[in-house]
Amino acid sequence: MHFKNPEVLYFLFLLIIPILIHLFQLQKYAKTTFTNVAFLKKLQQQNRKSSRLKKWLILCTRLLLLSAILFAFSQPYFGKKNTLNKNHTFIYLDNSLSLDTNDDKGNLLKKSIEEIIENASKKNTYTFITNNSFSKKIDYNELKNELLKIKITPLQLNINSVLLSIFQEKKTKIKTLNDVVLISDFQGNYKNKFTNVKDYFSVVKRKSSLNYNISIDTAYTITKNPNNKTLIVAIKNQGNKTDKVPIALYNNYELVSKQTFSIAKDETKKIEFNISNFTSFLGTVKITYNDIFEFDNTYYFAINKSKKIRILSVGNPQKFISKIFNDAKFSLTNSPLKNIDYNGILEHQLIVLNSLEKIPTIFADKIIDFTKKGGTLLIIPDDNIDIDSYNNLFKKLNAGNLKPKVKDTLKVTTINFSHPLFKNVFTKTITNFQYPMVESYYPVINKTSSKILTLENGKPFISLLNKNIYFVSSSLKKENSNFINSPLIVPTFYNIGISSFNNSKLAYVIGKKNKIEVKTKLKKDEVLSLINNKNKAIIPLQQSYYNKVIISTSDEIVENGFQTIAIKGKSIKNIAFNNPKEESLLNFLDLKEITKNNQYIQLHKDIPSFFNQVKKNNEVQWLWKWFLIIAIVSLLLEILILKFFKP
C-alpha cells in the first residue's frame, strides 16, 4: 500500500491527546464507608466497572474515527509506487515504404494509426517519432493530429538513433512514469543494436500477409554508337519462379516498348531495351505484378545530352594521351607551353602538365586559379625538371614538397583497389600482375595524400595530393618507365578524366547524399533550383565554380520521379530519383529470438495489447473511501454506545 499524501500520517501522533484526557478522567473514586449498606456497596462496584468499560469503548471509537480520517486524507492506494507520477509514452511509428503494404486487416501503416488513436490514453502526454518528424510533450489531441498527417516516406531512420534520442529524452523526465514502444516491421538486421540496450522498451512488429516480391533493382545503359543505347534493367526476385511478368518502358510517360519475362526463384535477371535516336530520354520502367511492395515496381531514369569533358594537355604531344582521351566523352587539346591560351584555361575541366621541365610563375598562377575554381590537375614530370619551379607550384597548391630525383629501378607493385578511381574497374583483387617499371622517381612529402599506385619500396607512384590534384612521381618517357605499355594506365588516366567532371547519373537515390555537377555559369545573384512534376521548387545546397555548379542533396527530395534543374525557371537538364532499394528486401528481424534472451525488451502481439499493459501498470485502487466509511461507522458506534450503553 502506498500513500499520495504520506505527510498527513505525521498527525497520528495527535492521537495521544484523547488518550491522555481519557486517563485523567479514569481517576479512582474516594472511598465512603456505610455500616449497613453491604448490598449497595456491591451494586456500586458493578456500576464502576461498567462505566469504565463504556469509557474505554468510547476512547477506541474516537481513536478509530480520528485514525480513519487521517488515513483518508493521506489517500492510500494499491499500485506501483510511482503510478501517481505523470505518465509519458514514447511512440516510434515506422512510416517507411515497407509499411505501405497489407496484412489480413488492411494497410499496415493505416491500421497502426487507427489502433494508436483508439487505444492511447487521453490523460497521458506523448513523444511521437516517425522517420521524418519528432514531436515532444504533446497531449492526446495533438498526437491524434500528428497521426492523421502521417504519410509514407522513403526516408529511413536508423533504429539505434531512435532509441538513443528516446533514452536521452527520458533522462529529462525524472518524476514521470515513462513507457516506450517501437512499432515497425523491423526490416533489416537490428540484432547487434538491440544487444547493448540496457533500458526497458516494448516492440510491436507489423507483418504483411505476403512473403514474395519482384523489384527493379537498378538500371544502366550501354552505348553501342552515338545514336543507339541499350538499357539494361536488373530485376530481383525474392520468391518462387514466376512466368509472364509484364514490363514496359516509357519515355516522358509515353509507351516505347513492352515485353514479358520469366524469372527463377531468388534470381536477379537482366532485361534489355533498345533506345535509339534520342538526344534526351525521361525514362520510366514499370512492372505489372501483385506482390508485397508496389513502390519498387517502378524505376525512373534520365538521359541528358552529355557535354564533353574538355582536357588541356600542356607540353609535347604524346600518343598515349591522345589514345586514352579519344573517347566521345572527351575533347582533348594539345598545346606547347609557349603557345598556351591563358584566357581559355578556365574553360577546361582537366589540365595535364605533360613532361614540363619548368613551370613559369605566370603559368603557375593560372593553374592555381584553375584549381581553386574546381578544375582538376594531373602532373606528369619530365625526366629532368627545375625542382624549384615545381615546388613553387606545389607550395601555392598546398600539395606538399617535392624532393630531388631518386635513381632506382623499382616495380609498381600495389594497387589501391578501394580508391574511387578504380570503382567497378576490377572484379577481384589482383596480387599477381605484370608489374610496370621505373628507373627514377621524385619523392613527394604530403601527409594528407592518398596512394593510388605504389612502388615496391612503399613510395607513391601515382597519388592524389588533395581533392583535385593528381601527381605521377616518375617521368613516363620510354627511357624511364614502361608504364605507358601497362594495362593500368588506361583505367587510371581515363577515370581521372571522367572524375574531373561528373555528368549526371542515370538516376539518384532518395535519402542518400548525392552530388550533381551542372556545367553552367551563374551570374552574381543566380542560384539553381530543383522543380518536380508538381511544379514545386526547392533550392538545394550548391557550390558555384567558374564553369560549373555542384548541387548536394540528401533529405530534400522525398518523392521519386523527375526533377528539373533550372535557373529562374529555365530548364538546364533533368534528373531522376528513385526509392532506396534496401526497402525492397524481405529481411525482417525475428523478435521472438531477440526478446527471449533480453530482459529489457518486451514483445507485444499488437498495439492494443501494449496500451492495455500500460493501463494495467498505471491502474490505481484508491482506499480513502474505505477509510471514510470506517470513520462514519466509528462515529455511529460512538453514538450508539452513548445512547444505549447504560452502566
Side-chain angles (χ1 to χ4, degrees):
M1 185 170 64
H2 306 287
F3 299 89
K4 183 178 180 181
N5 303 313
E7 62 275 5
V8 176
L9 297 179
Y10 288 113
F11 289 96
L12 289 173
F13 289 107
L14 297 178
L15 295 178
I16 196 171
I17 296 174
I19 294 174
L20 292 175
I21 293 172
H22 179 77
L23 291 176
F24 281 117
Q25 288 180 346
L26 290 179
Q27 296 181 51
K28 294 182 179 180
Y29 289 96
K31 292 183 178 181
T32 304
T33 306
F34 294 90
T35 55
N36 299 319
V37 286
F39 176 76
L40 292 177
K41 285 180 66 177
K42 184 177 181 182
L43 180 62
Q44 184 183 14
Q45 288 176 357
Q46 289 178 350
N47 287 341
R48 268 206 212 142
K49 290 180 180 179
S50 299
S51 178
R52 183 173 293 182
L53 176 61
K54 179 179 179 180
K55 289 180 180 180
W56 279 111
L57 289 174
I58 291 173
L59 175 63
C60 291
T61 56
R62 288 176 179 175
L63 291 175
L64 184 61
L65 171 64
L66 293 174
S67 300
I69 291 174
L70 290 173
F71 273 95
F73 276 102
S74 68
Q75 297 190 46
Y77 64 91
F78 285 128
K80 290 186 177 180
K81 186 176 182 180
N82 56 354
T83 301
L84 297 182
N85 291 347
K86 294 179 180 179
N87 296 321
H88 190 93
T89 306
F90 293 85
I91 302 174
Y92 165 67
L93 178 58
D94 184 3
N95 62 331
S96 62
L97 292 166
S98 60
L99 265 289
D100 190 18
T101 186
N102 296 330
D103 64 0
D104 298 333
K105 297 180 181 179
N107 184 274
L108 291 180
L109 181 62
K110 292 180 180 179
K111 191 64 181 176
S112 298
I113 293 171
E114 292 173 2
E115 290 179 350
I116 294 174
I117 292 175
E118 291 173 1
N119 293 278
S121 173
K122 296 181 180 180
K123 299 178 181 179
N124 290 6
T125 58
Y126 298 90
T127 293
F128 183 59
I129 305 169
T130 66
N131 290 348
N132 55 348
S133 68
F134 193 109
S135 301
K136 297 192 296 183
K137 298 179 181 178
I138 59 176
D139 59 22
Y140 173 80
N141 291 327
E142 291 172 315
L143 173 66
K144 184 178 179 179
N145 292 334
E146 290 292 327
L147 286 164
L148 294 175
K149 291 190 297 184
I150 288 180
K151 293 182 179 179
I152 288 290
T153 177
L155 302 178
Q156 298 170 304
L157 193 60
N158 188 300
I159 198 70
N160 201 33
S161 300
V162 175
L163 290 171
L164 181 62
S165 60
I166 288 175
F167 295 149
Q168 286 180 342
E169 186 68 19
K170 279 182 66 177
K171 291 178 181 178
T172 65
K173 303 182 183 302
I174 301 173
K175 294 184 178 181
T176 305
L177 185 61
N178 297 305
D179 296 290
V180 179
V181 61
L182 309 181
I183 304 169
S184 173
D185 58 0
F186 296 97
Q187 187 181 45
N189 184 9
Y190 299 103
K191 185 173 182 179
N192 294 333
K193 297 172 183 177
F194 281 153
T195 52
N196 296 324
V197 173
K198 293 184 178 180
D199 206 339
Y200 293 95
F201 66 95
S202 299
V203 290
V204 177
K205 184 175 181 179
R206 308 317 310 251
K207 186 178 180 181
S208 174
S209 54
L210 302 176
N211 60 353
Y212 55 88
N213 188 45
I214 294 179
S215 60
I216 302 175
D217 192 52
T218 188
Y220 57 93
T221 59
I222 298 174
T223 304
K224 295 183 177 179
N225 58 63
N227 296 320
N228 193 343
K229 295 179 182 290
T230 299
L231 177 71
I232 310 295
V233 182
I235 309 296
K236 186 173 184 176
N237 181 26
Q238 299 176 82
N240 295 325
K241 180 182 177 182
T242 307
D243 298 319
K244 297 181 179 180
V245 180
I247 185 171
L249 173 65
Y250 299 84
N251 180 21
N252 205 12
Y253 303 106
E254 293 183 3
L255 183 64
V256 173
S257 179
K258 192 173 184 179
Q259 56 181 290
T260 60
F261 65 92
S262 298
I263 188 166
K265 180 180 179 181
D266 299 328
E267 179 190 8
T268 298
K269 188 169 188 175
K270 295 179 180 179
I271 309 295
E272 294 187 4
F273 291 96
N274 290 322
I275 302 176
S276 303
N277 301 318
F278 289 105
T279 55
S280 62
F281 199 97
L282 294 181
T284 306
V285 183
K286 286 188 177 181
I287 294 174
T288 305
Y289 187 70
N290 184 24
D291 54 3
I292 186 172
F293 301 132
E294 292 184 5
F295 67 86
D296 55 11
N297 293 345
T298 303
Y299 190 89
Y300 298 93
F301 66 94
I303 299 175
N304 296 278
K305 186 177 180 180
S306 299
K307 294 184 179 181
K308 291 187 176 182
I309 298 172
R310 298 189 63 184
I311 300 175
L312 174 62
S313 177
V314 182
N316 296 322
Q318 293 191 20
K319 290 183 179 180
F320 78 91
I321 294 288
S322 300
K323 287 182 179 180
I324 293 172
F325 298 122
N326 69 347
D327 192 281
K329 296 179 180 179
F330 304 107
S331 175
L332 175 65
T333 300
N334 289 295
S335 175
L337 181 59
K338 62 181 180 179
N339 296 333
I340 193 73
D341 178 13
Y342 289 106
N343 294 326
I345 285 178
L346 294 177
E347 301 298 328
H348 298 82
Q349 283 77 49
L350 172 63
I351 292 179
V352 181
L353 304 186
N354 184 18
S355 298
L356 296 179
E357 293 181 7
K358 184 177 180 179
I359 302 176
T361 303
I362 187 171
F363 180 56
D365 291 339
K366 291 292 183 181
I367 292 297
I368 293 163
D369 187 39
F370 169 77
T371 57
K372 285 182 178 179
K373 292 181 177 178
T376 301
L377 181 65
L378 172 59
I379 304 173
I380 305 172
D382 188 56
D383 201 17
N384 293 291
I385 64 171
D386 181 354
I387 197 166
D388 291 334
S389 67
Y390 269 79
N391 274 326
N392 177 55
L393 176 64
F394 273 48
K395 183 178 180 181
K396 292 180 178 179
L397 291 172
N398 195 26
N401 185 40
L402 202 60
K403 295 295 183 181
K405 182 172 67 174
V406 176
K407 291 185 178 181
D408 192 4
T409 302
L410 297 168
K411 294 179 181 179
V412 179
T413 57
T414 305
I415 303 170
N416 184 359
F417 294 99
S418 62
H419 197 277
L421 280 183
F422 295 136
K423 185 179 181 181
N424 300 325
V425 172
F426 300 97
T427 56
K428 61 181 181 179
T429 301
I430 302 171
T431 56
N432 186 16
F433 58 95
Q434 188 176 359
Y435 302 120
M437 302 279 294
V438 298
E439 298 295 332
S440 63
Y441 67 97
Y442 294 94
V444 62
I445 307 300
N446 188 318
K447 295 181 180 180
T448 60
S449 66
S450 61
K451 298 177 183 178
I452 299 171
L453 297 175
T454 308
L455 298 170
E456 60 181 314
N457 65 353
K459 301 294 183 182
F461 174 62
I462 297 179
S463 57
L464 179 62
L465 300 182
N466 59 34
K467 63 179 181 179
N468 57 347
I469 300 172
Y470 295 88
F471 177 66
V472 181
S473 65
S474 170
S475 168
L476 297 185
K477 290 181 179 180
K478 293 182 179 179
E479 298 81 12
N480 190 66
S481 174
N482 64 348
F483 182 70
I484 61 174
N485 299 321
S486 169
L488 290 175
I489 191 171
V490 175
T492 304
F493 281 22
Y494 182 88
N495 286 334
I496 289 174
I498 290 294
S499 65
S500 64
F501 182 82
N502 295 320
N503 282 300
S504 58
K505 297 178 182 178
L506 210 61
Y508 297 91
V509 180
I510 296 174
K512 306 294 183 182
K513 291 183 178 180
N514 301 299
K515 286 194 174 182
I516 306 159
E517 292 191 17
V518 183
K519 196 173 182 180
T520 188
K521 293 181 181 179
L522 294 180
K523 295 180 182 179
K524 186 177 180 180
D525 297 325
E526 288 182 334
V527 293
L528 296 181
S529 58
L530 293 175
I531 306 173
N532 64 11
N533 296 336
K534 299 176 182 177
N535 210 30
K536 183 179 178 181
I538 62 170
I539 299 176
L541 184 67
Q542 53 196 275
Q543 190 172 5
S544 179
Y545 295 95
Y546 176 77
N547 57 1
K548 68 179 180 180
V549 180
I550 298 179
I551 293 175
S552 299
T553 67
S554 54
D555 298 338
E556 297 89 347
I557 308 299
V558 294
E559 292 184 7
N560 59 342
F562 301 110
Q563 297 277 340
T564 300
I565 301 175
I567 301 177
K568 294 182 178 180
K570 184 179 178 181
S571 175
I572 298 177
K573 65 191 300 186
N574 295 293
I575 55 176
F577 284 88
N578 290 292
N579 296 315
K581 61 184 179 180
E582 293 85 0
E583 286 285 303
S584 301
L585 300 176
L586 302 184
N587 180 22
F588 303 100
L589 183 66
D590 184 1
L591 291 179
K592 291 183 179 179
E593 184 66 26
I594 298 299
T595 55
K596 184 172 63 175
N597 300 317
N598 195 321
Q599 61 175 334
Y600 295 103
I601 307 174
Q602 185 175 4
L603 175 62
H604 294 271
K605 64 177 181 178
D606 53 28
I607 294 174
S609 67
F610 164 74
F611 283 104
N612 289 335
Q613 183 65 43
V614 171
K615 290 176 183 177
K616 184 178 179 181
N617 292 340
N618 297 338
E619 281 182 355
V620 176
Q621 294 182 5
W622 293 103
L623 303 177
W624 64 270
K625 294 179 181 179
W626 293 104
F627 282 99
L628 189 59
I629 291 172
I630 292 172
I632 295 171
V633 171
S634 300
L635 182 61
L636 292 174
L637 284 174
E638 182 178 349
I639 294 171
L640 292 173
I641 291 171
L642 290 173
K643 187 173 183 179
F644 298 106
F645 194 106
K646 294 184 178 180

